[in-house]
Amino acid sequence: MKYVVVSGGVVSGLGKGVTASSIGLILKSCGFRVTAIKIDPYLNIDAGTMSPIEHGEVYVLDDGGEVDLDLGNYERFMDIKLTSENNITTGKVYKHVLEKERRGDYLGKTVQVVPHITDAIQKWIERAARIPVDGQSGPADVCVIELGGTIGDIESMPFIEALGQFSYRVGTDNFCLIHVSLVPVLNVVGEQKTKPTQHSVRDLRGLGLSPNILACRSTKPLEDNVKAKLSQFCHVPMENVVTLYDCPNIWHIPLLLKEQKAHEAIFRVLNLEGVAKEPALEEWSLMAKMTDKLHVPVRIAVVGKYTELLDSYLSIHKALLHASVARRKKLIIDWISASDLEQGAKKENPDAYKAAWKLLKGADGVLVPGGFGSRGVEGKMLAAKYARENRIPYLGICLGMQLAVIEYARTILGLADANSTELDPNTKNPCVIFMPEGSKTHMGGTMRLGSRRTYFHSKDSKSARLYGNKSFVDERHRHRYEVNPAMVPRFESSGLTFTGKDETGQRMEIIELPNHPFYVGAQFHPEYKSRPGKPSPLFLGLIGAASGELDTVLLQSYQETVVPRSLPNGKLERVYWKGAAKKPVSVVYSLCDRVYS
């Protein structure tokens, strides 16, 4: 097993996660099987109880792990499925060691950070690195490890010590350290300054780790004399100093690394020069460059409660981007704070109220994401009502689906006090109720989490057709409350259909309004499985409907019956099933189309 460690210095937020993801993508394109690990030095067991405003979104894995959002980047870039073991936190490590101490596993020894915590970290890395994440059996060839935080943070010290020991254990041919640092340009001087990176590398070396490669963040490419200076003072070969300068979109980062031959530097360190292939990033390059040229806009209003930090909805943003690129549209997202749509804002902050409603009314489509708590729920329901009454394409996710159901009950069924027991425990018309298997005393890891199966109950529904008329789909969940099954017959008799349900038929997974251009809600989170070039079907449906192209999207969503074949004119052909009679439909497209279809 080869290990590539990505650390960061000077400041946080430099893009270590995107850098690690890009490195994994390049290595995979060179023919290697890859996996990834994220080390988070915080004391929390996982990210599940952390505020999205403080830490960004909580990303959910197939096995139910609630993890750092960087694991979402790994999955999207490398097209892999990680496990909760791939996210190491200080809380997990200490919990593991202390449980062993309580069992007497240390035979009366004094339990210390060194060697017990550091040994546990190293064993966890080796164990997690061996878990297959690409659908194949056996361990990967290369494990990319991102060390969270910034060099010098107190909470990172045990991990840095463990990685120093680990590099010695596995050998220099199996360990490559890439340090991401900042090379700022002072406006007064206009010169790229190397001192912050020099000091960061000095601190890193003082802790027992010496970088093999420097990945320098800057507003523009590093000048040759700056590279030479960094090489001299940081003891890194000049060809191992690469620039990660500002790009139009993050899909260019792997291409930047490739252009500067970062993969060759990694291969030299890991002694892989004789077995590595040239990076095959043609389709990725085409996708990145095409995205920059898109000019036909599609405007989506995202009505949420955590809009002050956009990382709170990172997977939502990426899923919308994947779908819009698939439809050759330039994505414009209007982030609307749900509270600004409410009547209270009209009195307290009329300017914000008017601006929010102006954005909502100017949108081609509306998306209401998940969330917890009562703040902003009335605003989200107003957005759902506006989309329903004005026939604007709507996608509600998790809480966004539940609130669409509540709004329907209040407006169409005339149940003025309809609510969720999360928001009003004493409501006489509980449309959304607490799940019986949930815990009301413990918050962490007690929700309905991870990949669960949804069965389609209507083959003619838009959602079923978007998923290629499959009988079921597996999507990731994160919720404590669900639609009250006792009220489902009343909803269905009034026109709201539940087209997707769990294996028991009692848990509602997908709602639709058949007489609406696109009004869909999902209890699950489809954004977590969206990938560049393979957008989530429900997001593709939303963008298609918002662009007036839903019929085309539905046609292209049919399951393929043959492998794409080349045509004499350089085009390719796919054949899809269509309708219950399974009439074959031929679709001809170019290589460029294949990237996004």
Side-chain angles (χ1 to χ4, degrees):
M1 175 73 73
K2 306 287 186 178
Y3 298 91
V4 178
V5 176
V6 179
S7 63
V10 184
V11 294
S12 60
L14 287 179
K16 295 191 305 296
V18 174
T19 303
S21 303
S22 300
I23 290 166
L25 172 64
I26 293 178
L27 294 175
K28 185 175 181 179
S29 75
C30 291
F32 296 106
R33 293 176 60 200
V34 296
T35 185
I37 294 173
K38 173 67 187 297
I39 295 174
D40 283 307
Y42 46 70
L43 280 169
N44 304 64
I45 299 294
D46 57 36
T49 57
M50 300 174 73
S51 167
I53 297 174
E54 178 181 328
H55 191 68
E57 76 167 359
V58 177
Y59 189 79
V60 178
L61 303 171
D62 269 2
D63 67 358
E66 297 174 282
V67 296
D68 184 84
L69 59 84
D70 280 318
L71 276 81
N73 280 325
Y74 306 158
E75 288 201 336
R76 285 187 285 268
F77 272 64
M78 304 181 216
D79 196 17
I80 55 179
K81 291 184 179 179
L82 298 170
T83 72
S84 56
E85 288 285 288
N86 295 86
N87 192 192
I88 306 174
T89 69
T90 298
K92 283 183 180 179
V93 174
Y94 274 77
K95 181 174 183 287
H96 171 73
V97 170
L98 291 174
E99 286 175 346
K100 290 182 67 176
E101 186 275 331
R102 290 290 84 186
R103 289 196 304 265
D105 292 359
Y106 295 114
L107 303 177
K109 294 181 179 178
T110 302
V111 180
Q112 298 173 292
V113 173
V114 180
H116 301 100
I117 295 296
T118 52
D119 283 353
I121 292 168
Q122 294 174 69
K123 290 177 182 177
W124 199 308
I125 289 173
E126 290 182 310
R127 183 173 67 251
R130 288 194 295 267
I131 300 173
V133 296
D134 57 1
Q136 302 181 46
S137 60
D141 302 312
V142 184
C143 178
V144 180
I145 304 170
E146 180 192 347
L147 174 61
T150 305
I151 295 301
D153 293 345
I154 292 175
E155 56 264 32
S156 300
M157 295 302 180
F159 292 101
I160 295 173
E161 174 62 27
L163 289 170
Q165 296 177 17
F166 189 68
S167 66
Y168 178 76
R169 276 180 52 194
V170 301
T172 55
D173 285 353
N174 297 314
F175 188 92
C176 177
L177 176 59
I178 300 175
H179 190 58
V180 182
S181 188
L182 177 67
V183 178
V185 178
L186 300 181
N187 291 333
V188 178
V189 182
E191 177 187 4
Q192 294 177 330
K193 309 301 289 186
T194 64
K195 270 292 187 280
T197 296
Q198 290 181 47
H199 289 170
S200 179
V201 171
R202 182 190 63 191
D203 292 344
L204 186 60
R205 293 176 67 197
L207 295 170
L209 288 171
S210 294
N212 303 105
I213 298 171
L214 288 180
C216 300
R217 286 284 288 113
S218 187
T219 55
K220 58 183 181 180
L222 291 186
E223 299 165 4
D224 287 342
N225 66 311
V226 174
K227 282 189 175 184
K229 192 173 182 180
L230 286 170
S231 173
Q232 179 181 7
F233 287 99
C234 297
H235 303 180
V236 173
M238 188 168 172
E239 61 269 24
N240 288 15
V241 180
V242 299
T243 316
L244 300 177
Y245 55 86
D246 294 347
C247 297
N249 68 72
I250 62 171
W251 292 343
H252 284 280
I253 302 302
L255 307 177
L256 277 183
L257 292 170
K258 178 191 173 186
E259 289 168 7
Q260 298 173 76
K261 302 187 184 302
H263 57 291
E264 294 182 5
I266 295 172
F267 298 153
R268 284 193 297 270
V269 175
L270 297 178
N271 197 23
L272 292 172
E273 291 176 286
V275 295
K277 302 175 183 177
E278 278 296 308
L281 291 173
E282 292 79 13
E283 291 192 359
W284 187 276
S285 175
L286 183 64
M287 180 176 63
K289 294 174 183 177
M290 179 69 70
T291 302
D292 297 338
K293 298 178 181 178
L294 297 174
H295 61 276
V296 179
V298 58
R299 187 176 292 273
I300 303 297
V302 177
V303 182
K305 62 182 294 186
Y306 312 122
T307 52
E308 53 263 58
L309 180 66
L310 299 188
D311 272 358
S312 300
Y313 300 114
L314 184 63
S315 291
I316 293 283
H317 186 183
K318 298 306 178 185
L320 286 170
L321 178 63
H322 301 160
S324 62
V325 171
R327 297 312 311 161
R328 312 293 196 282
K329 298 296 184 291
K330 181 179 177 62
L331 176 65
I332 301 173
I333 300 180
D334 290 323
W335 300 97
I336 300 175
S337 176
S339 299
D340 289 341
L341 295 172
E342 298 172 357
Q343 286 298 311
K346 188 175 183 180
K347 298 178 181 178
E348 298 172 6
N349 194 344
D351 290 340
Y353 176 83
K354 291 178 182 178
W357 275 102
K358 183 178 180 180
L359 289 175
L360 182 64
K361 292 180 179 180
D364 301 313
V366 177
L367 190 152
V368 175
F372 298 92
S374 59
R375 181 172 64 86
V377 295
E378 294 298 327
K380 289 185 176 185
M381 277 192 275
L382 287 170
K385 181 179 182 181
Y386 174 82
R388 180 180 59 78
E389 293 181 342
N390 291 276
R391 300 178 65 79
I392 305 298
Y394 176 86
L395 177 60
I397 296 174
C398 198
L399 180 62
M401 171 188 129
Q402 296 173 2
L403 295 179
V405 171
I406 295 170
E407 185 279 320
Y408 194 87
R410 291 180 179 182
T411 307
I412 304 300
L413 300 185
L415 305 176
D417 68 337
N419 216 325
S420 165
T421 56
E422 176 186 12
L423 309 172
D424 180 6
N426 300 315
T427 177
K428 295 180 180 179
N429 290 287
C431 298
V432 178
I433 59 175
F434 191 81
M435 292 187 297
E437 68 266 39
S439 171
K440 293 187 177 182
T441 59
H442 289 72
M443 301 296 287
T446 58
M447 288 185 274
R448 184 172 181 247
L449 294 164
S451 181
R452 307 295 178 107
R453 186 155 290 180
T454 295
Y455 291 86
F456 290 104
H457 286 247
S458 173
K459 293 292 184 181
D460 293 329
S461 65
K462 295 182 180 70
S463 56
R465 293 167 67 190
L466 285 168
Y467 278 99
N469 274 339
K470 297 177 182 177
S471 58
F472 63 84
V473 293
D474 295 316
E475 292 280 11
R476 299 175 184 179
H477 294 67
R478 185 175 185 251
H479 63 111
R480 285 191 177 88
Y481 292 81
E482 63 178 339
V483 173
N484 186 353
M487 294 190 68
V488 168
R490 191 168 178 182
F491 281 117
E492 292 187 321
S493 65
S494 65
L496 183 67
T497 61
F498 295 86
T499 58
K501 302 178 183 180
D502 76 341
E503 65 277 3
T504 68
Q506 295 299 304
R507 184 158 283 159
M508 305 302 116
E509 294 282 3
I510 304 175
I511 66 164
E512 286 188 39
L513 280 177
N515 59 351
H516 191 284
F518 188 86
Y519 195 89
V520 177
Q523 184 59 73
F524 50 80
H525 288 262
E527 68 271 21
Y528 292 143
K529 295 181 75 170
S530 184
R531 303 286 182 266
K534 295 188 288 186
S536 162
L538 294 186
F539 279 82
L540 196 59
L542 174 65
I543 295 296
S547 306
E549 300 173 351
L550 183 58
D551 289 341
T552 303
V553 171
L554 292 173
L555 173 63
Q556 294 182 349
S557 296
Y558 290 114
Q559 289 184 338
E560 298 174 33
T561 62
V562 297
V563 175
R565 66 184 182 91
S566 299
L567 300 178
N569 60 1
K571 300 277 187 175
L572 297 101
E573 180 188 43
R574 280 177 174 170
V575 178
Y576 299 85
W577 292 123
K578 181 179 181 182
K582 295 186 177 179
K583 177 182 176 182
V585 177
S586 174
V587 177
V588 178
Y589 59 98
S590 66
L591 175 63
C592 179
D593 294 326
R594 184 159 62 98
V595 176
Y596 308 108
S597 298

